[in-house]
């Protein structure tokens, strides 16, 4: 992931230098071509980042056994949870897909935490009861 972010920064920096040089010589066509090439390369790296983040999110969801939004392969543009990259062809979650999956993961983690916390209350109560019983046994054992 860090490599992809570095690639994104490198692409933006490399084109900025060339665009500034073209501005200095007042070559508008070259500036336009460079900006278009920059947009294409940035979009390519951003699609790779989105694909990587989607895979991470899916891995976490599958580990927690959370249902994953299904991808409709018949019309990628109409799918509200998935989209297909124009440069890479990879599928990745849309903002709505990320939000839905993140919410499902949070709810699952919250439910698991609540289940564990219920057990902790009972275990704490039983530990306190065992301590009280051993204390009473010690007191009664000395007096007898």
């Amino acid at each position: 992931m860090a490599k992809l972010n570095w690639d994104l920064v490198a692409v933006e920096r490399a084109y900025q230098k060339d665009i500034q040089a073209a501005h200095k010589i007042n070559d508008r066509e070259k500036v336009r071509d460079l900006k278009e090439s920059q947009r294409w390369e940035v979009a390519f790296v951003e699609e790779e980042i989105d694909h990587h983040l989607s895979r991470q999110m899916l891995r976490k969801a599958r580990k927690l056994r959370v249902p994953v939004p299904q991808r409709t392969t018949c019309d990628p543009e109409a799918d509200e949870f998935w989209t297909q990259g124009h440069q890479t062809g990879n599928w990745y979650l849309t903002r709505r897909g990320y939000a839905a999956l993140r919410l499902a993961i949070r709810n699952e983690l919250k439910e698991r935490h609540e289940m564990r916390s219920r057990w902790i209350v009972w275990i704490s109560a039983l530990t306190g009861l065992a301590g009280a019983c051993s204390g009473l046994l010690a007191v009664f054992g000395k007096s007898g």
Side-chain angles (χ1 to χ4, degrees), residues 1-12 35-56 83-95 98:
M1 182 63 190
K3 183 194 178 312
L4 290 172
N5 285 326
W6 280 106
D7 289 348
L8 186 61
V9 170
V11 166
E12 289 174 343
K35 284 184 177 182
E36 183 62 33
S37 295
Q38 180 187 26
R39 275 191 292 274
W40 188 89
E41 284 194 47
V42 165
F44 181 84
V45 177
E46 286 175 342
E47 283 181 16
E48 289 291 326
I49 290 170
D50 287 337
H51 179 66
H52 177 75
L53 292 173
S54 293
R55 284 192 325 223
Q56 283 182 329
T83 190
Q84 188 174 22
H86 297 288
Q87 274 92 353
T88 62
N90 293 330
W91 287 88
Y92 54 90
L93 291 164
T94 62
R95 287 183 180 180
Y98 276 119

Side-chain angles (χ1 to χ4, degrees), residues 19-36:
I19 290 170
Q20 287 173 355
H23 268 299
K24 285 182 181 177
I25 61 171
N26 206 17
D27 189 350
R28 292 181 182 185
E29 186 175 327
K30 186 171 184 174
V31 169
R32 184 179 46 81
D33 290 342
L34 286 169
K35 284 184 177 182
E36 183 62 33

